Amino acid sequence: PVFEKLFSIAEYSNLTKEEKTMYDNSLKHKWDNKNVLDYAVKEAKLEEAKEIAREMKKDGLPMAQIVKFTKLSVEEIEKL
């Protein structure tokens, strides 16, 4: 892994200014897309937990049990 990293650095150093800019922009787009996907997955999990909490609340389960299984805060659950 160390040699692979050194090789990558050497390759990057040999790029022209235009190529470096294109490479940097490509990496930025890749990281932006990963962050968007990570955020969407996190939000989907949160919505799923809220839906489960709504059902548990509707069934009259104790608040402590809802918190334990959904990992939501008491405040979040009370707002549902």
Side-chain angles (χ1 to χ4, degrees), residues 35-74:
N35 287 334
V36 167
L37 179 61
D38 290 347
Y39 179 77
V41 168
K42 181 180 173 185
E43 286 299 308
K45 288 180 181 180
L46 178 61
E47 286 305 312
E48 182 179 15
K50 286 180 178 180
E51 184 58 35
I52 291 168
R54 279 187 203 94
E55 291 296 318
M56 294 175 80
K57 196 173 172 182
K58 189 169 61 174
D59 288 346
L61 293 168
M63 183 65 72
Q65 196 173 22
I66 300 172
V67 169
K68 178 181 176 182
F69 290 115
T70 63
K71 308 292 189 250
L72 297 173
S73 68
V74 172

Side-chain angles (χ1 to χ4, degrees), residues 17-54:
K17 185 176 181 178
E18 182 180 318
E19 289 171 330
K20 285 179 183 178
T21 300
M22 289 171 52
Y23 178 78
D24 292 342
N25 286 337
S26 174
L27 280 181
K28 182 183 179 309
H29 288 294
K30 177 183 173 183
W31 294 331
D32 287 347
N33 288 336
K34 183 183 180 326
N35 287 334
V36 167
L37 179 61
D38 290 347
Y39 179 77
V41 168
K42 181 180 173 185
E43 286 299 308
K45 288 180 181 180
L46 178 61
E47 286 305 312
E48 182 179 15
K50 286 180 178 180
E51 184 58 35
I52 291 168
R54 279 187 203 94

